[in-house]
Amino acid sequence: MTEIRQHRPLSRAKALPAWTLLAAGAVTGGLLGGAYGVVKAPTYTATSYVIAVPTDKADSSTALGFAQAYGRVATQLAVLGDAQVWAGVPVKTLQSSVQTATSPDAPMVAVTATSSRADLAADMANAVSRSLTVHANDAKGSTHVELQSFARAIKPAGPSSASAAVTGLVGASAGGLLGGLLLLVRPRRTTDETGRPASVPSPATAADVL
């Protein structure tokens, strides 16, 4: 009797229709993903741009090279130390929230900041761009390249993070995929477990006995 009871859950799992695992995984994943999108604080992103301009003693290739170098030093302490005063946040916040990007074709540096506040994201991007411009122009006499503001960061109108609907769809897709994987490893029903009564051999006839 104990052995029969132990096999009941396994038998029930085998008897479930194939689509139930897929549906359960998709619904569970969708609910978890939607809840994450609601609970998680929105993130705002703002980007400012500075451009390297050659002087009379330099050319465009020189400006392009210095733009690449300025993009690498924009997040160093020497630049962020002054930017923290204008942004009104600690250096650690700038280090974790500001990123830079450069182009191999244009002498331009993009400074991107992220924050849970839209106005702060723009302030941090503009503060780092301003500090980088000041430091670069202090060495303009030796580099023969001037750094100028190309476009200031503006307050973003909406969050850049995914909405609850998007996270819900991602969760539903992941849950459905997990349900499919469980379906592949689920024990399959055998012919002995189809629920048919066991056949009883017919009584032997007298001729068979002889």
Side-chain angles (χ1 to χ4, degrees):
M1 182 65 68
T2 303
E3 184 179 358
I4 296 177
R5 291 179 179 178
Q6 291 177 350
H7 286 285
R8 281 181 179 177
L10 183 59
S11 300
R12 292 175 180 176
K14 294 178 181 179
L16 289 175
W19 61 268
T20 56
L21 287 176
L22 296 176
V27 172
T28 304
L31 292 176
L32 292 176
Y36 174 78
V38 173
V39 174
K40 186 178 182 297
T43 302
Y44 297 88
T45 302
T47 304
S48 62
Y49 298 88
V50 293
I51 186 171
V53 180
T55 62
D56 296 337
K57 298 181 180 180
D59 52 18
S60 58
S61 61
T62 302
L64 180 60
F66 274 102
Q68 303 290 329
Y70 291 148
R72 290 190 290 269
V73 304
T75 54
Q76 300 300 316
L77 290 178
V79 177
L80 298 182
D82 293 337
Q84 68 173 341
V85 179
W86 296 318
V89 296
V91 172
K92 291 184 178 181
T93 302
L94 293 176
Q95 288 176 329
S96 61
S97 304
V98 176
Q99 296 179 345
T100 59
T102 57
S103 171
D105 302 321
M108 187 174 295
V109 182
V111 180
T112 302
T114 57
S115 175
S116 58
R117 289 170 42 194
D119 57 340
L120 184 57
D123 290 342
M124 288 192 296
N126 290 327
V128 174
S129 295
R130 177 182 176 184
S131 179
L132 178 63
T133 301
V134 171
H135 281 270
N137 291 338
D138 287 341
K140 181 175 58 175
S142 58
T143 61
H144 307 295
V145 173
E146 181 180 3
L147 201 61
Q148 299 178 359
S149 176
F150 183 79
R152 288 178 55 84
I154 59 174
K155 180 180 176 180
S160 57
S161 56
S163 62
V166 175
T167 56
L169 290 175
V170 173
S173 300
L177 178 61
L178 181 59
L181 294 177
L182 292 177
L183 182 62
L184 293 177
V185 300
R186 187 183 66 164
R188 299 183 180 276
R189 299 178 61 183
T190 60
T191 55
D192 296 337
E193 297 172 343
T194 56
R196 296 179 180 178
S199 59
V200 179
S202 59
T205 61
D208 294 334
V209 173
L210 293 177

